[in-house]
Amino acid sequence: EDKVVQSPLSLVVHEGDTVTLNCSYEVTNFRSLLWYKQEKKAPTFLFMLTSSGIEKKSGRLSSILDKKELFSILNITATQTGDSAIYLCAYRTTSGTYKYIFGTGTRLKVLA
Amino acid sequence: GAVVSQHPSWVICKSGTSVKIECRSLDFQATTMFWYRQFPKQSLMLMATSNEGSKATYEQGVEKDKFLINHASLTLSTLTVTSAHPEDSSFYICSARAPRASSYNEQFFGPGTRLTVL
């Protein structure tokens, strides 16, 4: 059975800390892995990772995929209170439906 | 950019009634839309894939007679929760796939609808 597991489930840090969020997957027909940030409403897109070992960056956020070990990490440096959110990873299969299967999520809280 | 709207944002209803939630792609045509539900402090769970002009594909464990999906046009999909009960209370989110997906973001999410069944 395909599954996506994120760790930790919940994390509390202070402003300025660096955090690393993990996403491991066991799926068939893997195509890409995506990271989303969800605050109060709909998830907002962060990254899509298809190739192994290529880091993607956006400001203080970066992410990388390891297709051999079947995991991805999301790094956030110099955290701010505005980074407090649920971070979701999802995989997309190569099958024709283009559906996404989401992981369990990591709830991050950044304290001032 | 691609915008997806949902209506209503919030709905409170009595047990036994049916509730319809609309998902619209505002500036693009979406051949495929997806419906998710999210319980408090949990992740998004895919309920079904909605294809324009054909029957929806439901994920395992989702009752198709309970959650009716209609994708009558390229910009509108509706989810009807029939005979709603308190356990159906949840956050329902739709997403739409643009026919020409970008390299980086292929699904565009709506703002969600919070359903509370009393």
Side-chain angles (χ1 to χ4, degrees):
Chain A
E1 183 182 342
D2 294 348
K3 63 179 180 180
V4 182
V5 178
Q6 292 183 245
S7 63
L9 290 178
S10 184
L11 188 59
V12 180
V13 300
H14 286 95
E15 271 193 320
D17 289 350
T18 294
V19 297
T20 298
L21 309 182
N22 302 288
C23 175
S24 63
Y25 60 93
E26 292 180 23
V27 303
T28 53
N29 303 315
F30 176 87
R31 178 179 174 89
S32 54
L33 187 136
L34 303 99
W35 283 96
Y36 285 85
K37 176 183 180 182
Q38 185 181 26
E39 296 176 85
K40 293 189 176 178
K41 291 191 173 180
T44 54
F45 174 79
L46 296 176
F47 299 110
M48 175 183 277
L49 304 160
T50 305
S51 301
S52 199
I54 299 175
E55 185 183 52
K56 293 207 172 181
K57 292 197 69 168
S58 176
R60 296 177 293 104
L61 278 66
S62 64
S63 185
I64 196 163
L65 175 68
D66 186 326
K67 291 170 76 172
K68 182 179 177 183
E69 300 297 330
L70 307 181
F71 76 91
S72 173
I73 60 172
L74 175 69
N75 276 319
I76 308 175
T77 59
T79 53
Q80 302 170 358
T81 55
D83 295 327
S84 297
I86 299 173
Y87 290 85
L88 300 163
C89 72
Y91 77 84
R92 185 199 139 185
T93 68
T94 56
S95 65
T97 59
Y98 297 94
K99 66 182 183 182
Y100 293 174
I101 302 298
F102 281 85
T104 47
T106 293
R107 182 178 292 272
L108 172 65
K109 187 169 180 63
V110 182
L111 303 175
Chain B
V3 179
V4 176
S5 70
Q6 279 185 243
H7 177 81
S9 300
W10 285 81
V11 57
I12 301 173
C13 67
K14 290 183 178 180
S15 187
T17 60
S18 294
V19 175
K20 181 185 282 188
I21 302 170
E22 294 184 347
C23 176
R24 293 182 185 273
S25 55
L26 298 184
D27 51 2
F28 67 100
Q29 293 183 328
T31 53
T32 306
M33 290 183 172
F34 303 87
W35 287 96
Y36 300 84
R37 69 184 299 182
Q38 185 176 33
F39 291 108
K41 298 186 179 182
Q42 294 189 25
S43 189
L44 275 69
M45 184 191 79
L46 180 65
M47 299 175 66
T49 302
S50 171
N51 297 297
E52 187 267 336
S54 64
K55 290 184 178 180
T57 303
Y58 290 83
E59 294 299 304
Q60 192 173 8
V62 178
E63 299 175 61
K64 61 181 181 181
D65 295 329
K66 171 77 171 176
F67 299 100
L68 300 178
I69 291 172
N70 186 300
H71 194 156
S73 77
L74 287 171
T75 59
L76 174 65
S77 176
T78 60
L79 168 68
T80 301
V81 183
T82 62
S83 187
H85 290 282
E87 58 265 30
D88 298 323
S89 299
S90 188
F91 192 53
Y92 292 87
I93 303 177
C94 73
S95 69
R97 177 178 174 251
R100 289 188 180 183
S102 70
S103 299
Y104 300 102
N105 188 357
E106 298 180 344
Q107 284 191 28
F108 305 99
F109 285 85
T113 296
R114 187 163 299 283
L115 170 64
T116 301
V117 185
L118 302 176

